[in-house]
Amino acid sequence: LENIAEDDELAQIRQKLEKALELTEDSDAEEAQEAMEAIYEARKVLSKLAKVNQSAIRESQLAKVESDVEGFIQTELMTDDDLKDVRASIKAAREAIKRPDGDFEKLMEQISQQVLVALLHKKEFVVDQFRLLIQDEDAFTDHAAYNDLKNRGLMCILNDDIDELRSILFELVGLLKQNQPSPFSNITNIIRS
C-alpha cells in the first residue's frame, strides 16, 4: 500500500503502530487502551485506503505474479506448455481488476493452485521441497513416522521414483505441527504477494 498510495495518514499510522508495538508487560492499562485504539484506527484507515486504491493494488499483485511465473520459466521449473491455463487465468484476472466483486481474488487463488500443480509435476521441485521439509524433525508431530517417510523418500530419490516421492511429500506435510508452514505455502505466498 505504501508503494501505491502516497498518503500522510500512512506515515501517521506507522508511527502509532510502532508505538503500540513498543508496549511491554509493564505497560499500564491506559497505554494498552491507547494502543488498541491506535490499532483500531489504523485498520479503519488502511481499509479505506485499500478500497480507494483497489485497482492499483490488484495491478501490482498481478504484475508480481507475472514476474514470478516468468521466473519459474527462466529457471526451467515450468515450460510454456505448463502455463497455458495459468496465462488464461492471468488474462481473466487482468480483466477483473477494476470490478468490485471477488472474482479477482478467486482468480489469484486459482493461479496459485495452477502454478503449484504444474510445479508438483517437476522432479526438481518435488526433490527440493522434500529436502527442505526433512531438515527439521522437530517440525513434525510423529517422529517415528517422520523418520520412516524420510528414509522412504531418500530411497525414492535414489530410485528416481518421483511419483512415490510426491506422495511421501504430501504425507510429511500432513505430519507438520499446526504452527509450521507447509512448503507449498511458500509458493502460494509468492503468488499471493
Side-chain angles (χ1 to χ4, degrees):
L1 193 55
E2 284 180 318
N3 295 336
I4 294 168
E6 293 185 25
D7 195 298
D8 292 335
E9 285 181 293
L10 283 175
Q12 293 171 0
I13 289 170
R14 179 180 289 284
Q15 289 173 343
K16 288 180 182 180
L17 291 176
E18 286 172 352
K19 184 178 178 184
L21 289 172
E22 292 173 2
L23 288 180
T24 65
E25 291 179 11
D26 299 331
S27 300
D28 63 24
E30 186 177 321
E31 289 175 317
Q33 180 63 30
E34 287 176 16
M36 291 301 292
E37 288 172 8
I39 292 169
Y40 176 73
E41 184 64 29
R43 289 183 67 175
K44 284 183 5 185
V45 172
L46 288 173
S47 178
K48 180 187 89 175
L49 289 173
K51 195 173 208 174
V52 168
N53 295 289
Q54 182 180 46
S55 291
I57 292 169
R58 287 175 168 182
E59 183 64 44
S60 174
Q61 290 172 331
L62 191 57
K64 173 81 170 91
V65 166
E66 289 176 307
S67 172
D68 291 338
V69 167
E70 291 305 316
F72 291 138
I73 292 171
Q74 289 175 1
T75 59
E76 298 180 3
L77 274 176
M78 298 178 82
T79 64
D80 281 331
D81 217 31
D82 295 327
L83 297 173
K84 287 179 185 171
D85 292 337
V86 173
R87 287 200 170 112
S89 295
I90 287 173
K91 182 180 179 186
R94 183 163 308 290
E95 293 167 1
I97 284 175
K98 295 195 186 308
R99 292 197 311 256
D101 58 20
D103 283 353
F104 178 82
E105 288 74 18
K106 290 175 188 171
L107 286 162
M108 292 297 281
E109 182 64 31
Q110 180 177 319
I111 292 166
S112 174
Q113 291 171 1
Q114 289 169 329
V115 169
L116 182 58
V117 167
L119 290 173
L120 283 169
H121 284 90
K122 302 299 177 195
K123 174 183 175 180
E124 300 84 8
F125 179 79
V126 174
V127 170
D128 288 347
Q129 293 304 305
F130 173 78
R131 287 189 173 139
L132 284 172
L133 197 56
I134 62 171
Q135 289 178 357
D136 184 11
E137 181 176 352
D138 293 331
F140 297 89
T141 56
D142 184 337
H143 295 275
Y146 158 83
N147 283 315
D148 177 55
L149 290 168
K150 176 182 171 182
N151 292 332
R152 287 177 40 211
L154 292 171
M155 290 303 298
C156 288
I157 292 172
L158 287 173
N159 296 328
D160 204 29
D161 188 352
I162 300 308
D163 290 334
E164 181 63 20
L165 181 62
R166 188 179 305 108
S167 296
I168 289 170
L169 185 61
F170 289 131
E171 288 183 60
L172 282 168
V173 168
L175 289 177
L176 284 170
K177 292 179 181 175
Q178 286 191 356
N179 63 344
Q180 296 296 316
S182 158
F184 310 128
S185 65
N186 295 334
I187 298 299
T188 303
N189 290 336
I190 287 170
I191 299 300
R192 285 184 182 155
S193 68

